[in-house]
Amino acid sequence: MPLLSVRDLQVDFTTRNGRVTAVNRIGFDVEAGKITAIIGESGSGKSVACYSLLGLLPVPPASIESGSALFDGRDLLQLSERELRQIRGRDIAMIFQDPMTCLNPYMTVGNQLMEPLLYHRKVTRQQARARALELLAEVGLRDPESTIDQYPHQFSGGMRQRVMIAMALINEPKLLIADEPTTALDVTIQAQILGLIAELQRKRDIGVIFISHDLSVVADIADEIVVMEKGHVVERGDRQAIFEAAEHPYTQKLLAAIPAGSKAPGEVPRDDLIQVRNLCTWFSQGRGAEPLRAVDDVSFTIQRGEVLGLVGESGSGKSTIGRSLLRLVPVTRGEVLFDGTDVTSLQGTALKQMRRRMQMIFQDPYASLNPRMSVYDTLAEPLLLHGIESRKTVEQGVLRLMDDVGLARAFVRKYPHEFSGGQRQRIAIGRALATRPEFVVADEPVSALDVTIQAQILELMLELGREYGLTMLFVSHDLAVVRHIADRILVLYKGRVVEQGTGDALFNSPREEYTRQLLQAIPGRGLL
Amino acid sequence: MTAANLTSVAQAEQGTSLWKDAWRRLRKNRLALFGLAVLTAFILIALLTPWLAPYAYDSQNLDLGASPPSAEHWLGTDIFGRDLLTQIMYGGRISLAVGFVATAVALVIGVTWGAVAGYVGGRVDAVMMRLVDILYALPFMIFIVLLMVVFGRNLLLLFLAIGAVEWLTMARIMRGQVQSLRQQEFVEAAVSLGLSPATIVRRHLVPNALGPIIVYTTLTIPSVMLLEAFLSFLGLGVQPPATSWGLLISYGAETMEEYPWLLIFPGAALTLTLFALNFLGDGLRDALDVRGSGD
């Protein structure tokens, strides 16, 4: 008998515009000792389904219309809030996506770990502390004795996620629900956390529900895969069946969206548009302290029309390089030649002129658009500022940009919050292209997006790159994505370039140890 | 592309779409509209008082003395036999003027000061905000008394003096807002487009910081009115026979047990204004937040 058996579950939301069925009569089983992955895009209902089981949805607007969820002989959907509270955190535990916001910044990690133990079981503080130490060691935290009394901000993202996992496991749950637990993490850290979850699951023989938007993440660890689309379960099967013989077109689409292969090699070499020589960008860390060497003596060139990929983990300085080229952060030393002009010393009008020629696309389409400006205002601003369109023609210019980035013209008066992540990124791309730049820095432009949307945006960027004759610096932590779009790749580690070459060269014969580690960490390597 | 589409785009081009949208949303909010109507009525009455008031503001009737509301004196009279309705109407002129003018002064100085300090940061910020701290530390009463002694008592000075004190908090709120907003990527995007700092502050920062500013503004107006009452009570503000709501309330409070209407009616006028301001302020905040709209 399965550990959890969900049948006929339907969850509706009452919104201003009427009722929406978020989860439509779905069913799935979770076996003890197995990892069941639920895969779907945002809005597919994958999280709603799991949250509804634990009574974690706000009612109203949510309402559970039908269904049953047998867990340990009891129907979770029939339990009272009191009974559910007994189960939450003891028999069923959760790990969330963002380990930063899920830990209380004003409580030590140790106290937070001990809290569920003290709440659910009769133990003394000493016993709880001993148990917490044990678990911190188990999830791979070095030196638990000294870290247990630290605060969350003293931990890195990966370490915080380990703490979250320890917290989830402290009451020996039978079922662990992990909601996109690695989406906010670097690739190498992601690989470690995935490994940890798989290892703990084997060792404790518990059931795991792993929610993700990305098939490749679960390619190595899932036993069973449930694919959801628009509230329906469209396909269900073991890992092999899904990856090798997916039947439903949506599953096939998800598989096809996994970036694979390298870009075809470029044509004849052309002249260099950008020459970066001995670039150093250091950040002061207060008086007397050593400056943080975010970018340390980096040199490279980008040819006209080339897409250069910049790969590294958080803290490698990859975003800072992009921002240094665009003069968004002050450069400490070195030269950035743009078409022969040193950008680092420009001022006033000359700088404004230069800004027109180089633009940036940001990572987070939720933060990079002014929430109080409609699409029209956002796109019209650069057009008018640089005199590209006059007041009379600006409207046509805005509409043309919307056509170029694939946004329906009817959306012109809408505000950013009315768009999905992918559509927002299209607006941001449109804004960057509005000034007709020659050079664009794209800083993780697809990291915040669902896999299928990611594929669309990458295609759009490649296409517009050709159309506008763009030279691009494509910054990402994801090697597979970079390989797909870039002509050449630089690998960055701690502010320095450790290796560079074409995508194929890096993938097939990496010279440096660090590059090898990065390649190892790519989830679902077998799929590439 | 349809004709309807074209017209809406053409309308968008006429700029200030933020305010136009806000007005469209405000119109759907009944409480806010009520607030707006009350305030508009009060302001109109205040402007037209010399023609509307039933009696002259300094006409006394000592034989009558304090009398409760009657057919001749709708809201009754005070101990000198002066018509209370007339007094409230004339008092409203002073109170509303102080409230709005002083708050407007505070708003302009505070928002500009805070936005500049928050956006430029560094040493400029440190100097600007230390100045605010120093002014905070200065005993407010001494400041006002000093101004009055040096320049003599006059109403305009009173407005300026109150405004000059109230902007400090406004500047702090604005600075905090701008500091957190300026970390956002859309500000970086604006920089990389080549916008000037002044444009970035005006177009990208101030509109996004409006929510708390508006709420604080609606709280400032009544507190300024009470401040004026306090100053007048001390003999530093308006003097009889001129009057204000604050002054009427403080006199009314003294004789509350014998002549309750002298407290109730001016109090009601101030309370109604306060309610109207709060409703309008909340409505404005929601209307300016494009995210809160169900179009």
Side-chain angles (χ1 to χ4, degrees), chain B residues 282-293:
Chain B
D282 280 357
L284 266 180
R285 188 197 52 202
D286 293 344
L288 283 169
D289 188 355
V290 290
R291 281 158 298 196
S293 66

Side-chain angles (χ1 to χ4, degrees), chain B residues 36-55 74-75 83-97 100 245 269 272-273:
Chain B
L36 188 65
V38 168
L39 284 178
T40 316
F42 276 19
I43 290 170
L44 277 179
I45 292 173
L47 290 175
L48 301 176
T49 291
W51 297 276
L52 288 181
Y55 295 86
W74 291 355
L75 302 183
D83 181 57
L84 189 58
L85 179 61
T86 309
Q87 300 245 8
I88 290 178
M89 284 168 84
Y90 275 101
R93 281 162 73 88
I94 305 280
S95 285
L96 290 172
F100 285 103
W245 287 349
L272 200 58
T273 312

Side-chain angles (χ1 to χ4, degrees), chain A residues 323 372 381 386 391 415, chain B residues 13 21 188 193 203 288:
Chain A
R323 286 176 159 78
R372 308 238 175 196
E381 185 168 56
H386 291 288
R391 288 238 158 243
Y415 288 90
Chain B
E13 201 199 350
D21 277 3
E188 225 174 339
L193 284 180
R203 277 181 65 96
L288 283 169

Side-chain angles (χ1 to χ4, degrees), chain A residues 16 323 328 352 355 358-360 362-364 367-373 376-377 381-382 385-386 391-392 394-395 399 409-410 412-413 415 417-418 431 435, chain B residues 1 5-6 8-10 12-13 17-18 21 25 184-186 188-195 199 203-204 207-208 210-211 288-295:
Chain A
R16 216 194 300 254
R323 286 176 159 78
L328 291 174
K352 187 180 160 192
R355 292 215 186 277
M358 33 208 267
Q359 280 297 310
M360 180 142 179
F362 294 87
Q363 169 173 8
D364 185 355
S368 69
L369 297 173
N370 184 340
R372 308 238 175 196
M373 280 167 72
Y376 181 89
D377 292 331
E381 185 168 56
L385 178 74
H386 291 288
R391 288 238 158 243
K392 283 194 184 124
V394 67
E395 175 188 323
L399 295 176
R409 288 183 164 200
V412 69
R413 297 274 287 139
Y415 288 90
H417 73 276
E418 298 170 85
R431 175 181 57 191
T435 65
Chain B
M1 175 153 193
N5 251 337
L6 262 173
S8 79
V9 172
E13 201 199 350
S17 56
L18 178 72
D21 277 3
R25 275 190 291 273
Q184 302 241 11
E185 283 183 345
F186 70 81
E188 225 174 339
V191 173
S192 76
L193 284 180
L195 291 175
T199 315
R203 277 181 65 96
H204 293 271
N208 280 293
L210 277 180
L288 283 169
D289 188 355
V290 290
R291 281 158 298 196
S293 66
D295 287 324

